[in-house]
Amino acid sequence: MELKLATAEKQVLEELVKLVQSRGLCGENGGWKEFLDAKDIKKIGSPNDPSKRSHEELVAFLTTFKKKQDLQVLKCHANFLLIEKLEQESPGNDTPEQSLVRLTVEHPAYSVDYSFEPHSEDWFVSDVGMKTSKVMESTEMVAVDCEMVLCDDGTEGLVRVGIVDRDLKVILDEFVKPDKPVVDYRTDITGITAEDIEKATLSLVDIQETLQPFLSNGAILVGHSLNKDLEVLKIDHPKVIDTALVFKYSNARKPRRASLNNLCKSILGYEVRKAGVSHDCVNDATAAMKLALAVIEKRANTTIPPSEEMLEVEKAKLFIHKIPHNVTSEELEQVLSGEFTLDVKPAKTSRGCYCAFVVFRSSKEADQAFENVDGDQGQDSFGLPQKLVVFKLTSGSRVSIYVRKMVEDGSA
């Protein structure tokens, strides 16, 4: 760890010492104060202020930490600082690769999806945050995709890994022996059987060691819903491009992640997954890399139109909102005609208004039901057709609700 710390920027080292102080962590020779006392370092001004100490003194103290758990804490914080610095810098200076990392880490879901702490002993935490800031400028990329099975303790186990480089060359395509008994191989999805796993010779540690040189050199990990792969790989690395977070649907009123298949059809012009065919992790890793390269090299748009399947699903729904709390589901059903399923979403407060999705068998039935609704037609704030409906409850009181389409008329 000493050599890696020697290249870290002084500001990062100062923040690491502050973290040690705040958490009361101790190295082999005690905490920060004990270290200064033992070294008989001259106290000038604020004696415990790390900013008053030299780069060499900070490195000397931090290298007294030898426990893996302590090292993981230090590496995680250094990686956090690396991403924080990226977010604070102007995007105008980003390389195309950095811009995709930025799109990933600035997505609202990133802080939840990529919060892996606390780590167990078998996690590998990248030390890239402890390198010089130039490590952020590295444009090397490797794409990863994993296949997982269900283990007897309810967790997912790694059974196959596919890794490709920026040139789409396969770095690794191997089965992995899980460290827990498997209860479901999910063969219809993974294509993996018990016989495949019996032949596996690699372990999780072997895969981590394969990726370690790339990560330490500042390579960017690429993948689709990459957080799920990193969780099963037990790897924490800050430089990531997650195509599930980079791309978004146009005219989306709420965040909805595009599937890898939809992205490939929209951006690359082909399907990576076909109905009834099991996944192939090398193909999926390759697809994620191609998507990243399409933006980096061909300036592909990261906003894509909704797929035909998505539109058809949305067209077969109506949305009822601003429903008073005293309106029952049975009373709500009387407003609409046809055969449908009511998917009620509870109100946030006990007496607040709630909403509901009305799911029909087809868009034609949904359109007809909307036409049959007796109410004043207008548009919501997004320009979607909706009707204001006033009707009488069984109690005799009159209430109003809004019935809205999910898609604009004529959307294609």
Short mmCIF file of all heavy atoms in Angstrom, two decimals, residues 46-100:
data_model
loop_
_atom_site.label_atom_id
_atom_site.label_comp_id
_atom_site.label_asym_id
_atom_site.label_seq_id
_atom_site.Cartn_x
_atom_site.Cartn_y
_atom_site.Cartn_z
N SER A 46 -1.67 24.09 14.76
CA SER A 46 -2.60 23.03 15.17
C SER A 46 -1.90 21.70 15.00
O SER A 46 -1.76 21.22 13.86
CB SER A 46 -3.88 23.09 14.33
OG SER A 46 -4.50 24.36 14.47
N PRO A 47 -1.46 21.05 16.06
CA PRO A 47 -0.60 19.86 15.94
C PRO A 47 -1.26 18.68 15.24
O PRO A 47 -0.57 17.87 14.63
CB PRO A 47 -0.27 19.52 17.39
CG PRO A 47 -1.37 20.16 18.20
CD PRO A 47 -1.73 21.40 17.46
N ASN A 48 -2.59 18.57 15.35
CA ASN A 48 -3.26 17.41 14.76
C ASN A 48 -3.82 17.67 13.37
O ASN A 48 -4.43 16.79 12.78
CB ASN A 48 -4.39 16.93 15.70
CG ASN A 48 -3.86 16.42 17.02
OD1 ASN A 48 -2.76 15.89 17.09
ND2 ASN A 48 -4.65 16.58 18.07
N ASP A 49 -3.65 18.85 12.85
CA ASP A 49 -4.20 19.21 11.54
C ASP A 49 -3.36 18.57 10.43
O ASP A 49 -2.19 18.93 10.25
CB ASP A 49 -4.20 20.73 11.38
CG ASP A 49 -4.86 21.17 10.08
OD1 ASP A 49 -5.25 20.30 9.28
OD2 ASP A 49 -4.99 22.39 9.86
N PRO A 50 -3.91 17.61 9.69
CA PRO A 50 -3.14 16.93 8.65
C PRO A 50 -2.61 17.88 7.57
O PRO A 50 -1.57 17.60 6.96
CB PRO A 50 -4.15 15.93 8.05
CG PRO A 50 -5.19 15.76 9.09
CD PRO A 50 -5.28 17.07 9.80
N SER A 51 -3.32 18.98 7.33
CA SER A 51 -2.88 19.90 6.28
C SER A 51 -1.56 20.58 6.64
O SER A 51 -0.88 21.13 5.76
CB SER A 51 -3.96 20.96 6.02
OG SER A 51 -4.14 21.80 7.13
N LYS A 52 -1.19 20.55 7.92
CA LYS A 52 0.06 21.16 8.36
C LYS A 52 1.24 20.19 8.26
O LYS A 52 2.38 20.56 8.56
CB LYS A 52 -0.06 21.64 9.81
CG LYS A 52 -1.24 22.58 10.07
CD LYS A 52 -1.13 23.87 9.30
CE LYS A 52 -2.30 24.80 9.67
NZ LYS A 52 -2.26 26.05 8.87
N ARG A 53 0.96 18.98 7.83
CA ARG A 53 2.01 17.96 7.77
C ARG A 53 2.43 17.71 6.33
O ARG A 53 1.69 17.95 5.38
CB ARG A 53 1.50 16.66 8.40
CG ARG A 53 1.09 16.82 9.85
CD ARG A 53 2.25 17.30 10.70
NE ARG A 53 1.83 17.56 12.08
CZ ARG A 53 2.63 18.01 13.03
NH1 ARG A 53 3.91 18.26 12.73
NH2 ARG A 53 2.19 18.24 14.25
N SER A 54 3.62 17.18 6.18
CA SER A 54 4.15 16.94 4.84
C SER A 54 3.53 15.70 4.21
O SER A 54 2.94 14.85 4.90
CB SER A 54 5.68 16.75 4.90
OG SER A 54 5.99 15.53 5.56
N HIS A 55 3.71 15.58 2.91
CA HIS A 55 3.24 14.41 2.16
C HIS A 55 3.86 13.14 2.75
O HIS A 55 3.17 12.12 2.94
CB HIS A 55 3.61 14.57 0.69
CG HIS A 55 3.07 13.50 -0.21
ND1 HIS A 55 3.66 12.26 -0.30
CD2 HIS A 55 2.00 13.48 -1.06
CE1 HIS A 55 2.98 11.51 -1.17
NE2 HIS A 55 1.96 12.24 -1.64
N GLU A 56 5.15 13.21 3.06
CA GLU A 56 5.87 12.04 3.56
C GLU A 56 5.35 11.61 4.93
O GLU A 56 5.23 10.42 5.22
CB GLU A 56 7.38 12.35 3.66
CG GLU A 56 8.08 12.49 2.33
CD GLU A 56 7.71 13.80 1.62
OE1 GLU A 56 7.26 14.76 2.30
OE2 GLU A 56 7.87 13.86 0.38
N GLU A 57 5.01 12.60 5.81
CA GLU A 57 4.49 12.27 7.12
C GLU A 57 3.12 11.59 7.02
O GLU A 57 2.84 10.62 7.74
CB GLU A 57 4.38 13.54 7.97
CG GLU A 57 5.72 14.12 8.41
CD GLU A 57 5.59 15.50 9.02
OE1 GLU A 57 4.56 16.17 8.80
OE2 GLU A 57 6.53 15.91 9.72
N LEU A 58 2.29 12.08 6.12
CA LEU A 58 0.96 11.49 5.94
C LEU A 58 1.06 10.07 5.42
O LEU A 58 0.35 9.17 5.89
CB LEU A 58 0.13 12.36 4.98
CG LEU A 58 -0.14 13.80 5.44
CD1 LEU A 58 -0.83 14.59 4.33
CD2 LEU A 58 -0.98 13.82 6.70
N VAL A 59 1.95 9.86 4.45
CA VAL A 59 2.15 8.51 3.90
C VAL A 59 2.68 7.58 4.98
O VAL A 59 2.21 6.43 5.13
CB VAL A 59 3.13 8.55 2.70
CG1 VAL A 59 3.54 7.14 2.31
CG2 VAL A 59 2.49 9.27 1.52
N ALA A 60 3.63 8.06 5.78
CA ALA A 60 4.22 7.23 6.84
C ALA A 60 3.16 6.78 7.83
O ALA A 60 3.17 5.63 8.29
CB ALA A 60 5.32 8.01 7.55
N PHE A 61 2.23 7.66 8.16
CA PHE A 61 1.17 7.29 9.11
C PHE A 61 0.19 6.30 8.49
O PHE A 61 -0.13 5.27 9.09
CB PHE A 61 0.42 8.54 9.58
CG PHE A 61 -0.85 8.23 10.33
CD1 PHE A 61 -0.79 7.55 11.54
CD2 PHE A 61 -2.09 8.59 9.83
CE1 PHE A 61 -1.96 7.24 12.25
CE2 PHE A 61 -3.25 8.29 10.52
CZ PHE A 61 -3.19 7.61 11.74
N LEU A 62 -0.28 6.59 7.29
CA LEU A 62 -1.30 5.75 6.68
C LEU A 62 -0.78 4.34 6.35
O LEU A 62 -1.56 3.39 6.32
CB LEU A 62 -1.86 6.42 5.42
CG LEU A 62 -2.70 7.68 5.67
CD1 LEU A 62 -3.01 8.40 4.37
CD2 LEU A 62 -4.00 7.32 6.40
N THR A 63 0.52 4.21 6.15
CA THR A 63 1.07 2.88 5.87
C THR A 63 1.17 2.02 7.13
O THR A 63 1.55 0.85 7.05
CB THR A 63 2.46 2.98 5.21
OG1 THR A 63 3.30 3.84 5.99
CG2 THR A 63 2.35 3.51 3.80
N THR A 64 0.82 2.59 8.29
CA THR A 64 0.80 1.77 9.51
C THR A 64 -0.50 0.95 9.61
O THR A 64 -0.63 0.12 10.51
CB THR A 64 0.94 2.64 10.77
OG1 THR A 64 -0.22 3.49 10.92
CG2 THR A 64 2.20 3.50 10.72
N PHE A 65 -1.42 1.20 8.68
CA PHE A 65 -2.66 0.43 8.67
C PHE A 65 -2.47 -0.82 7.83
O PHE A 65 -2.15 -0.74 6.64
CB PHE A 65 -3.82 1.28 8.13
CG PHE A 65 -4.27 2.35 9.09
CD1 PHE A 65 -3.62 3.57 9.12
CD2 PHE A 65 -5.31 2.12 9.96
CE1 PHE A 65 -4.01 4.56 10.01
CE2 PHE A 65 -5.71 3.10 10.86
CZ PHE A 65 -5.06 4.33 10.88
N LYS A 66 -2.66 -1.99 8.45
CA LYS A 66 -2.40 -3.26 7.78
C LYS A 66 -3.63 -4.15 7.68
O LYS A 66 -3.69 -5.04 6.83
CB LYS A 66 -1.31 -4.04 8.54
CG LYS A 66 -0.01 -3.25 8.75
CD LYS A 66 0.68 -2.91 7.44
CE LYS A 66 2.01 -2.20 7.71
NZ LYS A 66 2.67 -1.80 6.45
N LYS A 67 -4.63 -3.93 8.55
CA LYS A 67 -5.82 -4.77 8.54
C LYS A 67 -6.61 -4.52 7.24
O LYS A 67 -6.79 -3.38 6.83
CB LYS A 67 -6.71 -4.47 9.74
CG LYS A 67 -6.10 -4.85 11.07
CD LYS A 67 -7.06 -4.48 12.21
CE LYS A 67 -6.47 -4.82 13.56
NZ LYS A 67 -7.38 -4.40 14.67
N LYS A 68 -7.08 -5.62 6.64
CA LYS A 68 -7.78 -5.51 5.37
C LYS A 68 -9.02 -4.64 5.49
O LYS A 68 -9.32 -3.84 4.60
CB LYS A 68 -8.17 -6.89 4.85
CG LYS A 68 -8.78 -6.83 3.45
CD LYS A 68 -8.95 -8.20 2.84
CE LYS A 68 -9.49 -8.08 1.41
NZ LYS A 68 -9.63 -9.38 0.74
N GLN A 69 -9.74 -4.75 6.59
CA GLN A 69 -10.95 -3.95 6.77
C GLN A 69 -10.62 -2.47 6.81
O GLN A 69 -11.33 -1.65 6.23
CB GLN A 69 -11.67 -4.37 8.06
CG GLN A 69 -13.05 -3.74 8.21
CD GLN A 69 -13.80 -4.29 9.39
OE1 GLN A 69 -13.27 -5.07 10.17
NE2 GLN A 69 -15.05 -3.89 9.54
N ASP A 70 -9.54 -2.10 7.49
CA ASP A 70 -9.12 -0.69 7.53
C ASP A 70 -8.70 -0.21 6.14
O ASP A 70 -9.01 0.91 5.74
CB ASP A 70 -7.97 -0.50 8.52
CG ASP A 70 -8.40 -0.69 9.97
OD1 ASP A 70 -9.61 -0.54 10.23
OD2 ASP A 70 -7.53 -0.98 10.81
N LEU A 71 -7.98 -1.06 5.42
CA LEU A 71 -7.53 -0.69 4.08
C LEU A 71 -8.72 -0.49 3.16
O LEU A 71 -8.72 0.42 2.31
CB LEU A 71 -6.60 -1.76 3.52
CG LEU A 71 -5.30 -2.01 4.30
CD1 LEU A 71 -4.44 -3.05 3.58
CD2 LEU A 71 -4.51 -0.73 4.47
N GLN A 72 -9.75 -1.34 3.30
CA GLN A 72 -10.95 -1.18 2.49
C GLN A 72 -11.62 0.16 2.76
O GLN A 72 -12.07 0.84 1.83
CB GLN A 72 -11.93 -2.33 2.77
CG GLN A 72 -11.51 -3.66 2.17
CD GLN A 72 -12.49 -4.76 2.52
OE1 GLN A 72 -13.20 -4.69 3.52
NE2 GLN A 72 -12.53 -5.79 1.70
N VAL A 73 -11.68 0.54 4.03
CA VAL A 73 -12.28 1.83 4.40
C VAL A 73 -11.51 2.98 3.76
O VAL A 73 -12.11 3.91 3.19
CB VAL A 73 -12.32 1.99 5.93
CG1 VAL A 73 -12.71 3.41 6.32
CG2 VAL A 73 -13.30 1.00 6.55
N LEU A 74 -10.20 2.93 3.82
CA LEU A 74 -9.37 3.99 3.24
C LEU A 74 -9.52 4.06 1.73
O LEU A 74 -9.66 5.14 1.14
CB LEU A 74 -7.90 3.78 3.62
CG LEU A 74 -7.56 3.91 5.11
CD1 LEU A 74 -6.10 3.54 5.36
CD2 LEU A 74 -7.84 5.32 5.61
N LYS A 75 -9.50 2.90 1.08
CA LYS A 75 -9.64 2.87 -0.38
C LYS A 75 -11.01 3.39 -0.81
O LYS A 75 -11.12 4.15 -1.78
CB LYS A 75 -9.44 1.44 -0.90
CG LYS A 75 -8.01 0.93 -0.80
CD LYS A 75 -7.95 -0.53 -1.26
CE LYS A 75 -6.59 -1.14 -1.08
NZ LYS A 75 -6.57 -2.57 -1.48
N CYS A 76 -12.05 2.98 -0.10
CA CYS A 76 -13.41 3.43 -0.44
C CYS A 76 -13.51 4.94 -0.36
O CYS A 76 -14.12 5.58 -1.22
CB CYS A 76 -14.42 2.80 0.50
SG CYS A 76 -14.89 1.13 0.05
N HIS A 77 -12.94 5.50 0.69
CA HIS A 77 -13.03 6.96 0.85
C HIS A 77 -12.22 7.68 -0.23
O HIS A 77 -12.66 8.70 -0.76
CB HIS A 77 -12.55 7.37 2.24
CG HIS A 77 -12.92 8.78 2.59
ND1 HIS A 77 -14.23 9.20 2.66
CD2 HIS A 77 -12.15 9.88 2.87
CE1 HIS A 77 -14.26 10.49 2.98
NE2 HIS A 77 -13.01 10.92 3.11
N ALA A 78 -11.07 7.13 -0.58
CA ALA A 78 -10.27 7.73 -1.66
C ALA A 78 -11.02 7.67 -2.98
O ALA A 78 -11.00 8.62 -3.77
CB ALA A 78 -8.93 7.01 -1.77
N ASN A 79 -11.72 6.57 -3.22
CA ASN A 79 -12.51 6.44 -4.45
C ASN A 79 -13.70 7.40 -4.45
O ASN A 79 -14.05 7.97 -5.48
CB ASN A 79 -13.01 5.00 -4.60
CG ASN A 79 -11.87 4.02 -4.88
OD1 ASN A 79 -10.79 4.44 -5.30
ND2 ASN A 79 -12.11 2.75 -4.65
N PHE A 80 -14.30 7.58 -3.27
CA PHE A 80 -15.39 8.55 -3.14
C PHE A 80 -14.89 9.96 -3.48
O PHE A 80 -15.56 10.73 -4.17
CB PHE A 80 -15.96 8.51 -1.71
CG PHE A 80 -16.84 9.67 -1.38
CD1 PHE A 80 -18.16 9.71 -1.83
CD2 PHE A 80 -16.37 10.74 -0.61
CE1 PHE A 80 -18.98 10.80 -1.53
CE2 PHE A 80 -17.18 11.81 -0.31
CZ PHE A 80 -18.50 11.84 -0.78
N LEU A 81 -13.71 10.29 -2.98
CA LEU A 81 -13.13 11.61 -3.25
C LEU A 81 -12.85 11.80 -4.75
O LEU A 81 -13.00 12.89 -5.29
CB LEU A 81 -11.83 11.80 -2.45
CG LEU A 81 -11.99 11.83 -0.92
CD1 LEU A 81 -10.62 11.83 -0.26
CD2 LEU A 81 -12.80 13.05 -0.49
N LEU A 82 -12.45 10.70 -5.41
CA LEU A 82 -12.18 10.76 -6.85
C LEU A 82 -13.45 11.13 -7.62
O LEU A 82 -13.42 11.99 -8.51
CB LEU A 82 -11.64 9.41 -7.32
CG LEU A 82 -11.18 9.33 -8.78
CD1 LEU A 82 -9.91 10.13 -8.98
CD2 LEU A 82 -10.98 7.88 -9.20
N ILE A 83 -14.57 10.49 -7.28
CA ILE A 83 -15.83 10.77 -7.95
C ILE A 83 -16.35 12.16 -7.58
O ILE A 83 -16.88 12.90 -8.41
CB ILE A 83 -16.88 9.70 -7.61
CG1 ILE A 83 -16.44 8.35 -8.18
CG2 ILE A 83 -18.25 10.08 -8.14
CD1 ILE A 83 -16.23 8.34 -9.68
N GLU A 84 -16.17 12.53 -6.32
CA GLU A 84 -16.59 13.87 -5.87
C GLU A 84 -15.85 14.96 -6.65
O GLU A 84 -16.44 15.97 -7.04
CB GLU A 84 -16.32 14.02 -4.37
CG GLU A 84 -16.89 15.29 -3.76
CD GLU A 84 -16.65 15.36 -2.27
OE1 GLU A 84 -15.45 15.37 -1.85
OE2 GLU A 84 -17.63 15.39 -1.50
N LYS A 85 -14.57 14.73 -6.90
CA LYS A 85 -13.78 15.70 -7.66
C LYS A 85 -14.27 15.79 -9.09
O LYS A 85 -14.36 16.88 -9.67
CB LYS A 85 -12.30 15.29 -7.63
CG LYS A 85 -11.38 16.30 -8.32
CD LYS A 85 -9.92 15.90 -8.18
CE LYS A 85 -9.03 16.93 -8.86
NZ LYS A 85 -7.60 16.57 -8.76
N LEU A 86 -14.62 14.65 -9.69
CA LEU A 86 -15.15 14.65 -11.05
C LEU A 86 -16.43 15.47 -11.12
O LEU A 86 -16.63 16.27 -12.04
CB LEU A 86 -15.43 13.22 -11.51
CG LEU A 86 -16.20 13.07 -12.83
CD1 LEU A 86 -15.34 13.52 -14.01
CD2 LEU A 86 -16.68 11.64 -13.04
N GLU A 87 -17.32 15.29 -10.14
CA GLU A 87 -18.60 16.00 -10.15
C GLU A 87 -18.41 17.50 -9.97
O GLU A 87 -19.22 18.30 -10.46
CB GLU A 87 -19.50 15.45 -9.04
CG GLU A 87 -19.94 14.01 -9.29
CD GLU A 87 -20.75 13.44 -8.14
OE1 GLU A 87 -20.42 13.73 -6.97
OE2 GLU A 87 -21.71 12.71 -8.41
N GLN A 88 -17.34 17.90 -9.26
CA GLN A 88 -17.10 19.32 -9.03
C GLN A 88 -16.42 20.00 -10.21
O GLN A 88 -16.53 21.22 -10.37
CB GLN A 88 -16.23 19.49 -7.77
CG GLN A 88 -16.95 19.10 -6.48
CD GLN A 88 -16.01 19.04 -5.29
OE1 GLN A 88 -14.78 19.14 -5.43
NE2 GLN A 88 -16.58 18.88 -4.09
N GLU A 89 -15.73 19.23 -11.04
CA GLU A 89 -15.03 19.81 -12.18
C GLU A 89 -15.99 20.12 -13.32
O GLU A 89 -17.06 19.54 -13.43
CB GLU A 89 -13.94 18.85 -12.67
CG GLU A 89 -12.79 18.69 -11.69
CD GLU A 89 -11.79 17.64 -12.14
OE1 GLU A 89 -12.14 16.83 -13.03
OE2 GLU A 89 -10.67 17.61 -11.59
N SER A 90 -15.57 21.03 -14.19
CA SER A 90 -16.40 21.41 -15.33
C SER A 90 -16.46 20.27 -16.34
O SER A 90 -15.42 19.72 -16.72
CB SER A 90 -15.84 22.66 -16.01
OG SER A 90 -16.48 22.89 -17.24
N PRO A 91 -17.67 19.92 -16.80
CA PRO A 91 -17.77 18.85 -17.81
C PRO A 91 -17.18 19.24 -19.15
O PRO A 91 -16.97 18.38 -20.00
CB PRO A 91 -19.29 18.61 -17.91
CG PRO A 91 -19.92 19.88 -17.44
CD PRO A 91 -18.99 20.42 -16.40
N GLY A 92 -16.90 20.52 -19.32
CA GLY A 92 -16.33 20.98 -20.59
C GLY A 92 -14.96 20.40 -20.89
O GLY A 92 -14.53 20.36 -22.05
N ASN A 93 -14.27 19.95 -19.84
CA ASN A 93 -12.93 19.39 -20.02
C ASN A 93 -12.94 17.87 -20.09
O ASN A 93 -11.89 17.24 -20.17
CB ASN A 93 -12.02 19.84 -18.87
CG ASN A 93 -11.85 21.35 -18.82
OD1 ASN A 93 -11.77 22.00 -19.86
ND2 ASN A 93 -11.82 21.90 -17.62
N ASP A 94 -14.12 17.26 -20.05
CA ASP A 94 -14.21 15.80 -20.06
C ASP A 94 -13.79 15.20 -21.40
O ASP A 94 -14.09 15.76 -22.46
CB ASP A 94 -15.64 15.35 -19.78
CG ASP A 94 -16.05 15.53 -18.33
OD1 ASP A 94 -15.18 15.84 -17.51
OD2 ASP A 94 -17.25 15.35 -18.04
N THR A 95 -13.12 14.06 -21.34
CA THR A 95 -12.96 13.24 -22.53
C THR A 95 -14.32 12.58 -22.79
O THR A 95 -15.18 12.53 -21.90
CB THR A 95 -11.90 12.16 -22.32
OG1 THR A 95 -12.35 11.27 -21.29
CG2 THR A 95 -10.56 12.78 -21.92
N PRO A 96 -14.55 12.04 -24.00
CA PRO A 96 -15.82 11.34 -24.24
C PRO A 96 -16.06 10.20 -23.25
O PRO A 96 -17.19 9.97 -22.82
CB PRO A 96 -15.65 10.80 -25.67
CG PRO A 96 -14.71 11.75 -26.32
CD PRO A 96 -13.75 12.14 -25.23
N GLU A 97 -14.97 9.53 -22.84
CA GLU A 97 -15.10 8.45 -21.87
C GLU A 97 -15.52 9.00 -20.51
O GLU A 97 -16.40 8.43 -19.84
CB GLU A 97 -13.78 7.68 -21.74
CG GLU A 97 -13.37 6.89 -22.97
CD GLU A 97 -12.69 7.76 -24.05
OE1 GLU A 97 -12.49 8.98 -23.80
OE2 GLU A 97 -12.38 7.22 -25.11
N GLN A 98 -14.88 10.11 -20.10
CA GLN A 98 -15.23 10.72 -18.82
C GLN A 98 -16.67 11.21 -18.80
O GLN A 98 -17.34 11.14 -17.76
CB GLN A 98 -14.29 11.90 -18.53
CG GLN A 98 -12.92 11.50 -18.01
CD GLN A 98 -12.03 12.70 -17.80
OE1 GLN A 98 -11.88 13.53 -18.70
NE2 GLN A 98 -11.45 12.83 -16.63
N SER A 99 -17.14 11.68 -19.94
CA SER A 99 -18.52 12.19 -19.98
C SER A 99 -19.52 11.07 -19.70
O SER A 99 -20.57 11.30 -19.07
CB SER A 99 -18.82 12.84 -21.34
OG SER A 99 -18.83 11.88 -22.37
N LEU A 100 -19.20 9.84 -20.14
CA LEU A 100 -20.09 8.71 -19.86
C LEU A 100 -19.99 8.27 -18.40
O LEU A 100 -20.98 7.86 -17.80
CB LEU A 100 -19.77 7.53 -20.78
CG LEU A 100 -20.10 7.74 -22.26
CD1 LEU A 100 -19.90 6.45 -23.04
CD2 LEU A 100 -21.53 8.23 -22.44
#
